[in-house]
Amino acid sequence: MKNLLKLTIALVFVFATYTSCNNSKSSDGKSGALASNVAEKVYVAPGEHDEFYAFISGGYSGNLTVYGLPSGRMFKEIPVFSQFPTSGYGYSEETKPMLNTSHGFIPWGDSHHPDISQTNGEIDGRFIFINENNTPRIAKIDLKTFETTEIIEVPNSAGNHSSSFVTENTEYVVAGTRFSVPIPQRDMPIKDYKGNFQGALSFISVAPETGNMDIKFQVLMPGFNYDLAHPGRGKSHGWFFFSTYNTEEASTLLEVNASQNDKDFIAAINWKKIEEYVNNGGGKMMPANYAHNVYDEGTHTATSTMIKEVRVVNPSEVPGAVYFLPTPKSPHGCDVDPSGEYIVGNGKLSANLTVHSFTKMIDAIENEKFAGEAYGIPILNFEDVLAGVVDQAGLGPLHTEFDGKGNAYTTFFISSEVVKWKLGTWEVLDRQPTFYSVGHLTIPGGNSGKPQGKYMFAMNKITKDRYLPTGPELEHSAQLYDISGDKMELLLDFPTHGEPHYAAAMRADIIKERSQKIYNLEENEHPYAAKSDDDTKVVRKGNEVHIYMTTIRSHFSPDNIEGVKVGDKVYFHITNLEQDFDVPHGFAMIGQNTSEILIMPGQTKTSIWEPKQVGVWPFYCTDFCSALHQEMQGYIRVSAANANTPLKWSLGEDIE
Ligand code: K7E
Ligand code: CUA
């Protein structure tokens, strides 16, 4: 234990030294001295488009940001797990159900690993999935509209981190628990963790046409921490690999107590085998309570359904489906190369990178060469499954990506660099510093059988002096490298938003062509839609007042309303009649307890206002939509609760 403390202290010291040495390098300007032709490589002329989309997780912003590469320009922040006043996501009545969970309305999330849907092992650009750690959820974003259209809560999970990675035909999006917990949850002493807590690995099926998600089954694993995961592909399609740490099953001071074992495991799960078992009625349904939230594009409205049971499978019920591959030392990343042969374990506390061979793993399984077992799950011999070791590559390996040309790129947090090495020979080919302390890295098409090469970008945890200072709080920094040559070449620094963990990227063309421009007004099925000025009205139901309102350049209809009373709940149901690309209208009402809403052409959105004071109160359009944008305004007269002002509304004439 003392030795481990020393090791931790030594690593922290090394990290501090590297950071400060990098610091001094950049402050004397050397690291910024790039060749002048580098600027051309990232220059996208005004009006031209970037070649790649990059979808970068927002971490504790709960959202997903969209960038262009090579320019590093940010195009959009897509709200996913957090309320977003810019569009009204999570504030409008239509989108509030998206953030419903078994714990009630949760307005915030921690998103880590976006992954794009695949067909035949290639990125297809239909959907992007992303996990939420804190209140375990998986979201799906439709890349036609760049809107979050589905969120499913994951029961029996906590710190949903080894997620959300898709199999090569998007059969499943997989979500693994980081924390093991009592399953089912119950009141018990924390010290009885060992042997009693379990870790659920969830396989969420994705319907081929609609993309609808459904938890097909959960594998209830021993009480380790399941950190990261990647699907098998090609020859290893049908398997899924999860890195584990805390195989010690400690519940306190993990920095010491979860670093005792020389080796933890990569868990190999034959999901095809378990799927077959489940399809034949295997596993058991256990009571659960989790939210499934779906956004309907016809009604422009989300609904939330609570699901009351989930199918669970114990590994012991399906012999031959789960194995452990010993992997040194508290591995973080678990990455599979494009051929599906190599499984890279990035041992955080190891100086070497461990690479397992899928072929050797199958051979060892067939010959039943086991080194032991953990909770009935066979442990394979380290030497039997080892493909090779990248020796002394750096300090603190975290994540690995591949270029599809036989090379791998691994980030090293402590030595703050990306190291390029060769699959099969395990030789280090190149190393480039990052500024500073890199976490994940991304190559377009990275998690697929066909990476799209050309660029790699590193997402760094520490920014320090890379940009103009903005007080104590700095945005994180990403760095773009050209990887088309033998050596990586640093091209660009660009700031990112929130705390990016992983990112998914792909060639822009497919997504660009499919991108939707407007919502067809004819197809609007919102129950409160007003599709022309003739449909506008104001209806009172008890103390609820429903305003069927339209908006078009440059007025709201109606724009004068009387008969609202203190204590009423006023629903503004606003339909944007525009059918032109990029003409949203906004809406804000003085004193409302929500945010503005931004309504896209053809869409209906609802904002609530609960007036608390008598008076004549204005509302206005928040998006500068035309030369007469400032004229887009109106008034609501609010009378006392016991007044009998009649309900009236108008546009272009005085209320009589
Ligand atoms: Cu390494 Cu959440 Cu993938 Cu951060 S995780 S870096
Ligand atoms: Cu509509 Cu400004």
Side-chain angles (χ1 to χ4, degrees):
M1 180 157 158
K2 267 206 185 121
N3 283 344
L4 270 152
L5 264 177
K6 268 190 213 153
L7 172 67
T8 313
I9 292 163
L11 289 179
V12 168
F13 175 75
V14 170
F15 161 55
T17 320
Y18 268 91
T19 307
S20 58
C21 127
N22 281 339
N23 258 332
S24 60
K25 202 180 351 172
S26 92
S27 51
D28 69 26
K30 273 189 199 133
S31 71
L34 300 173
S36 59
N37 67 343
V38 159
E40 279 166 33
K41 293 191 178 176
V42 298
Y43 182 67
V44 177
E48 300 280 298
H49 289 172
D50 280 282
E51 193 182 347
F52 294 91
Y53 277 109
F55 299 92
I56 304 183
S57 82
Y60 40 61
S61 84
N63 294 336
L64 181 69
T65 47
V66 186
Y67 283 74
L69 299 180
S71 73
R73 297 179 294 185
M74 180 176 142
F75 300 136
K76 187 178 184 183
E77 180 170 3
I78 303 172
V80 186
F81 298 112
S82 295
Q83 281 181 303
F84 195 60
T86 305
S87 64
Y89 177 87
Y91 290 98
S92 70
E93 292 309 293
E94 288 78 5
T95 53
K96 275 187 196 165
M98 290 304 282
L99 302 181
N100 188 43
T101 74
S102 63
H103 305 270
F105 180 77
I106 304 284
W108 173 84
D110 182 13
S111 59
H112 280 227
H113 305 123
D115 204 14
I116 301 170
S117 55
Q118 298 184 25
T119 304
N120 299 323
E122 281 186 55
I123 302 283
D124 64 22
R126 296 174 67 210
F127 306 113
I128 185 162
F129 300 88
I130 190 163
N131 61 322
E132 204 270 274
N133 279 312
N134 187 52
T135 304
R137 289 173 277 179
I138 299 290
K140 184 185 75 193
I141 291 120
D142 191 328
L143 289 178
K144 201 161 40 64
T145 56
F146 285 60
E147 295 284 344
T148 305
T149 54
E150 194 175 0
I151 293 180
I152 194 162
E153 192 179 357
V154 186
N156 296 330
S157 180
N160 171 38
H161 194 263
S162 36
S163 326
S164 50
F165 300 102
V166 302
T167 55
E168 72 176 24
N169 283 298
T170 322
E171 294 96 335
Y172 293 98
V173 51
V174 173
T177 198
R178 176 172 146 211
F179 302 100
S180 281
V181 288
I183 297 178
Q185 271 294 5
R186 57 192 179 274
D187 178 9
M188 64 176 282
I190 299 171
K191 71 168 173 48
D192 296 343
Y193 176 142
K194 195 164 187 162
N196 289 312
F197 285 23
Q198 287 177 294
L201 308 179
S202 306
F203 286 74
I204 301 167
S205 60
V206 180
E209 288 303 312
T210 57
N212 280 353
M213 296 190 288
D214 181 32
I215 301 181
K216 178 100 171 178
F217 57 88
Q218 296 189 308
V219 187
L220 296 187
M221 298 286 286
F224 309 153
N225 288 43
Y226 296 85
D227 205 13
L228 274 146
H230 265 99
R233 56 178 62 98
K235 63 171 88 168
S236 54
H237 178 59
W239 290 80
F240 222 97
F241 304 94
F242 294 83
S243 57
T244 70
Y245 66 100
N246 193 23
T247 51
E248 297 85 350
E249 297 179 73
S251 64
T252 182
L253 196 62
L254 263 67
E255 65 171 311
V256 175
N257 295 330
S259 305
Q260 299 295 304
N261 292 347
D262 184 48
K263 295 189 178 67
D264 294 283
F265 300 125
I266 283 177
I269 312 273
N270 187 333
W271 58 261
K272 275 249 163 100
K273 207 166 196 151
I274 300 174
E275 180 186 57
E276 199 184 305
Y277 173 71
V278 162
N279 284 345
N280 290 320
K284 72 166 204 290
M285 298 308 287
M286 78 173 268
N289 187 33
Y290 59 101
H292 184 205
N293 310 331
V294 180
Y295 184 81
D296 181 296
E297 252 178 42
T299 59
H300 299 279
T301 302
T303 49
S304 179
T305 312
M306 297 308 294
I307 302 178
K308 297 295 180 187
E309 54 179 13
V310 67
R311 185 176 297 273
V312 295
V313 175
N314 256 303
S316 58
E317 297 165 35
V318 198
V322 183
Y323 297 92
F324 285 134
L325 284 60
T327 307
K329 280 238 39 150
S330 301
H332 184 54
C334 175
D335 299 292
V336 179
D337 87 304
S339 74
E341 169 63 10
Y342 298 120
I343 304 127
V344 185
N346 304 267
K348 297 190 295 280
L349 303 177
S350 166
N352 303 330
L353 280 177
T354 304
V355 187
H356 296 304
S357 156
F358 177 73
T359 310
K360 285 185 164 181
M361 180 192 95
I362 294 297
D363 187 69
I365 291 169
E366 279 170 0
N367 294 300
E368 300 189 0
K369 292 201 255 173
F370 304 135
E373 49 100 20
Y375 296 99
I377 296 167
I379 302 171
L380 301 169
N381 268 305
F382 177 67
E383 291 76 20
D384 288 344
V385 295
L386 187 71
V389 168
V390 186
D391 259 329
Q392 302 290 324
L395 289 172
L398 291 187
H399 299 284
T400 300
E401 291 257 302
F402 307 90
D403 64 6
K405 296 183 216 149
N407 304 308
Y409 300 73
T410 300
T411 56
F412 290 84
F413 179 83
I414 297 170
S415 51
S416 194
E417 60 189 335
V418 178
V419 173
K420 176 182 178 180
W421 51 276
K422 198 159 184 59
L423 288 160
T425 70
W426 324 118
E427 62 190 309
V428 170
L429 301 174
D430 187 25
R431 59 176 72 236
Q432 288 295 328
T434 59
F435 305 95
Y436 307 97
S437 297
V438 58
H440 274 273
L441 78 175
T442 293
I443 290 175
N447 174 37
S448 79
K450 281 236 176 81
Q452 299 168 348
K454 197 157 178 179
Y455 300 111
M456 173 272 290
F457 61 99
M459 284 153 278
N460 306 314
K461 298 299 183 190
I462 296 172
T463 305
K464 300 256 189 207
D465 58 354
R466 296 303 285 184
Y467 306 119
L468 287 174
T470 53
E473 188 186 342
L474 306 171
E475 287 287 30
H476 289 212
S477 134
Q479 290 180 300
L480 182 74
Y481 298 80
D482 181 341
I483 55 164
S484 57
D486 288 342
K487 301 285 174 193
M488 298 173 272
E489 187 185 10
L490 177 60
L491 302 179
L492 182 72
D493 274 16
F494 61 98
T496 53
H497 190 56
E499 186 194 357
H501 290 265
Y502 192 43
M506 69 177 285
R507 243 180 239 118
D509 36 19
I510 299 176
I511 294 179
K512 192 167 134 177
E513 273 159 32
R514 283 199 214 131
S515 192
Q516 192 161 319
K517 293 194 161 58
I518 58 161
Y519 296 100
N520 192 334
L521 189 61
E522 307 274 277
E523 291 165 11
N524 183 331
E525 291 162 10
H526 193 292
Y528 289 95
K531 295 195 194 180
S532 76
D533 280 359
D534 297 341
D535 298 339
T536 60
K537 58 186 173 185
V538 181
V539 177
R540 175 179 283 283
K541 280 189 209 151
N543 73 335
E544 285 185 5
V545 176
H546 292 270
I547 303 172
Y548 295 65
M549 189 180 262
T550 61
T551 178
I552 194 162
R553 281 163 290 183
S554 295
H555 61 266
F556 292 100
S557 175
D559 67 358
N560 279 199
I561 297 160
E562 295 191 356
V564 169
K565 296 180 217 170
V566 169
D568 280 347
K569 202 168 186 179
V570 182
Y571 290 77
F572 296 92
H573 306 287
I574 307 168
T575 303
N576 181 350
L577 300 180
E578 308 278 356
Q579 292 287 272
D580 252 2
F581 186 29
D582 200 21
V583 191
H585 293 286
F587 175 84
M589 179 78 223
I590 189 171
Q592 69 182 151
N593 294 110
T594 63
S595 74
E596 60 133 21
I597 48 174
L598 201 60
I599 312 139
M600 295 302 130
Q603 196 176 44
T604 305
K605 274 189 181 169
T606 302
S607 185
I608 285 188
W609 178 53
E610 294 175 79
K612 294 179 183 67
Q613 300 168 41
V614 298
V616 178
W617 304 101
F619 57 85
Y620 68 94
C621 172
T622 48
D623 184 287
F624 205 106
C625 50
S626 75
L628 295 171
H629 155 78
Q630 286 299 77
E631 281 70 12
M632 283 193 81
Q633 62 177 52
Y635 286 104
I636 298 200
R637 174 179 169 191
V638 177
S639 305
N642 58 359
N644 43 26
T645 316
L647 200 59
K648 284 185 177 171
W649 61 94
S650 68
L651 168 74
E653 59 207 64
D654 293 334
I655 292 179
E656 289 306 317

